[in-house]
Amino acid sequence: MNTRFKIMISTLFIVTSISYAQKSNSFDIKNELVYCVAQASKTLKVIPDDGTSPRSVPNGSKEWKFVNYKDWTSGFWPGELWYLYEATGDKKWEKEADKFSRFLTPLSVTKASDHDLGFQIFNSFGNGYRLTKNKEYKNSILKTADTLATLFNPKVGTILSWPNNKYGGHNTIIDNMMNLELLFWASKNGGNKKLYNIAVKHAETTMQNHFRPDFTSYHLIIYDNETGKKIKGITAQGYSDDSMWARGQAWAIYGFTMVYRETKNPKFLDFAHQLARVYLNKLTTEDLVPYWDFNAPDIPNEPRDASAAAIVSSALIELSSFTKDKNLKSEYLTKSKKMIVSLSDYYQSRDINSAFLLHATGHKPAGSEIDCSINYADYYYLEALLRLQKLK
Ligand code: GLY
């Protein structure tokens, strides 16, 4: 590298750092919530009146792609509406949240087609019940928890994630950790007490089998249906079986933090710290928003995944609340806030489309939803803003 080029790079770095600092100083959670309200208001105007909800906006488009209640992401839009109701107290959002949650009611009374029932029902009716105590919502949550539990295989000790898939055997994906919250909640709110044991067993089995020695996560583990033995680890949505898919690690950090909250068993807390540690240590981006896979071959020319940053920023706020070590607590909070500020300053969609964020990546190996807006990035971004606000 010649001297002039070195000076250019250093100047660029200093200018970027100064502008980053200036932006950070102006960060105000209230402004970001006002922004989310404005974007969601625009989205509401374009949703067809046919029971569907917005899932993603392709890169370069302004148009949402809409999905019906069966889609795995169908709970995120109603969840965002509940969070907006929580943020504003405005009944308009409660009415919309109620309407879009109710589209999901059939899930509580149909046979389970996969593990995503937690994402779908707990983000919609779960938030709805937390804020309104509506008994109908509670009923849907309890019934859905029983439905999800039908996928539990006691020989393996986990819930079957994808009953209809090409891999064979009993498969469990790391995302499935997120859906345990539905079971914990149901077991403590009038549902079957066995749901608690199923959730704990799933978490223990996952802790034992789903991770490499360095605490990075596989996406998917295939188990033998009969013996319960682990057959192999696969990373279907990541770059390779041995790579660290950003959102998979994000689900793991969030999931084990939540399992500690629900069980208070310190082994889950220790584990969540290990998962967060490897994520933060391997994170090389200045803005703390990861590439879609930490081992993707063309870094720095790989798409980012704003959804992973949103999930981790929210999880770190909760993990910090369980952390007695002052330095670690401060690191989690500082980094979480930096992620939220980055997302706010550099990743918001603004006039490009009416989602909250750009630059999320859904399924790169399948060529689907790359570098675009996705409802779960928006959901966890809004959740992180609200969690940060509650700290203050
Ligand atoms: N649960 C699927 C995903 O994270 O893309």
Side-chain angles (χ1 to χ4, degrees):
M1 206 189 276
N2 69 34
T3 314
R4 193 195 284 178
F5 190 61
K6 270 191 197 158
I7 293 169
M8 265 170 59
I9 292 284
S10 325
T11 312
L12 187 66
F13 180 75
I14 292 164
V15 170
T16 314
S17 305
I18 291 171
S19 83
Y20 187 84
Q22 283 166 347
K23 292 257 189 190
S24 303
N25 288 340
S26 66
F27 177 76
D28 182 346
I29 298 171
K30 279 201 200 101
N31 292 342
E32 311 314 328
L33 293 172
V34 167
Y35 162 78
C36 293
V37 166
Q39 294 296 92
S41 300
K42 286 190 247 170
T43 298
L44 270 181
K45 291 195 184 127
V46 298
I47 303 177
D49 195 14
D50 60 358
T52 59
S53 65
R55 168 171 167 146
S56 58
V57 184
N59 189 322
S61 167
K62 275 190 179 299
E63 313 284 327
W64 280 100
K65 291 205 176 292
F66 298 98
V67 288
N68 74 13
Y69 72 91
K70 292 183 186 164
D71 187 87
W72 83 271
T73 70
S74 63
F76 293 114
W77 171 248
E80 287 169 50
L81 296 170
W82 283 118
Y83 280 145
L84 291 178
Y85 174 50
E86 183 174 9
T88 61
D90 183 341
K91 289 280 182 192
K92 163 192 163 172
W93 296 111
E94 181 187 19
K95 190 162 160 263
E96 296 293 349
D98 175 76
K99 173 181 147 187
F100 283 94
S101 295
R102 284 180 192 274
F103 291 150
L104 277 66
T105 304
L107 292 172
S108 60
V109 288
T110 30
K111 194 167 173 272
S113 62
D114 64 36
H115 72 108
D116 289 317
L117 289 166
F119 283 120
Q120 292 165 307
I121 294 295
F122 208 62
N123 296 346
S124 55
F125 288 116
N127 278 311
Y129 186 76
R130 181 172 63 79
L131 297 169
T132 65
K133 301 291 177 268
N134 182 326
K135 290 208 176 78
E136 286 175 85
Y137 301 169
K138 181 174 182 178
N139 196 23
S140 286
I141 302 168
L142 292 178
K143 279 193 198 153
T144 310
D146 289 338
T147 307
L148 178 58
T150 60
L151 296 177
F152 183 70
N153 178 340
K155 289 180 187 153
V156 177
T158 67
I159 290 161
L160 173 64
S161 296
W162 295 330
N164 307 307
N165 82 101
K166 60 183 182 186
Y167 297 104
H170 172 101
N171 62 75
T172 300
I173 63 173
I174 192 61
D175 327 26
N176 205 146
M177 285 298 300
M178 302 293 285
N179 296 312
L180 304 183
E181 192 169 6
L182 170 69
L183 303 183
F184 282 122
W185 188 92
S187 73
K188 294 173 185 177
N189 287 276
N192 194 324
K193 299 282 175 247
K194 282 188 194 145
L195 298 172
Y196 182 93
N197 299 335
I198 289 175
V200 171
K201 186 69 189 164
H202 182 109
E204 285 173 343
T205 310
T206 299
M207 195 161 91
Q208 200 173 349
N209 295 316
H210 222 106
F211 297 87
R212 307 175 188 106
D214 65 355
F215 298 98
T216 61
S217 179
Y218 287 101
H219 179 201
L220 166 67
I221 300 292
I222 310 291
Y223 296 95
D224 186 295
N225 260 318
E226 293 308 317
T227 64
K229 284 216 174 88
K230 173 175 167 175
I231 300 173
K232 61 177 168 179
I234 297 174
T235 304
Q237 275 176 247
Y239 166 62
S240 73
D241 286 344
D242 291 325
S243 67
M244 185 164 112
W245 173 46
R247 196 165 53 258
Q249 194 71 20
W251 293 140
I253 296 167
Y254 192 118
F256 278 95
T257 304
M258 175 275 296
V259 172
Y260 172 69
R261 180 218 308 148
E262 297 300 330
T263 61
K264 290 289 174 284
N265 186 327
K267 72 182 175 188
F268 294 124
L269 181 59
D270 291 347
F271 201 67
H273 284 308
Q274 302 278 17
L275 300 174
R277 187 74 271 142
V278 65
Y279 182 97
L280 294 175
N281 283 356
K282 286 179 185 277
L283 195 56
T284 53
T285 50
E286 164 70 9
D287 62 10
L288 302 189
V289 176
Y291 296 100
W292 69 283
D293 187 299
F294 282 60
N295 305 100
D298 291 330
I299 288 172
N301 300 315
E302 294 278 355
R304 301 292 184 101
D305 183 12
S307 78
I311 296 160
V312 171
S313 63
S314 183
L316 286 181
I317 294 173
E318 177 156 55
L319 189 54
S320 76
S321 73
F322 301 136
T323 307
K324 294 209 174 69
D325 179 322
K326 276 196 185 145
N327 292 334
L328 193 56
K329 192 181 185 80
S330 157
E331 182 193 352
Y332 287 161
L333 284 177
T334 306
K335 290 189 173 162
S336 166
K337 185 168 175 208
K338 183 163 175 183
M339 289 169 199
I340 296 168
V341 172
S342 292
L343 292 173
S344 303
D345 286 350
Y346 305 115
Y347 289 74
Q348 286 181 348
S349 305
R350 301 187 187 168
D351 292 333
I352 294 174
N353 65 50
S354 67
F356 303 159
L357 298 177
L358 300 166
H359 307 308
T361 294
H363 195 332
K364 175 110 179 358
S368 140
E369 298 185 322
I370 300 167
D371 194 14
C372 65
S373 298
I374 310 186
N375 58 12
Y376 44 88
D378 287 2
Y379 175 88
Y380 288 102
Y381 170 62
L382 184 50
E383 181 182 273
L385 287 171
L386 291 176
R387 284 184 171 184
L388 191 58
Q389 189 179 49
K390 279 179 194 156
L391 284 182
K392 290 182 184 281

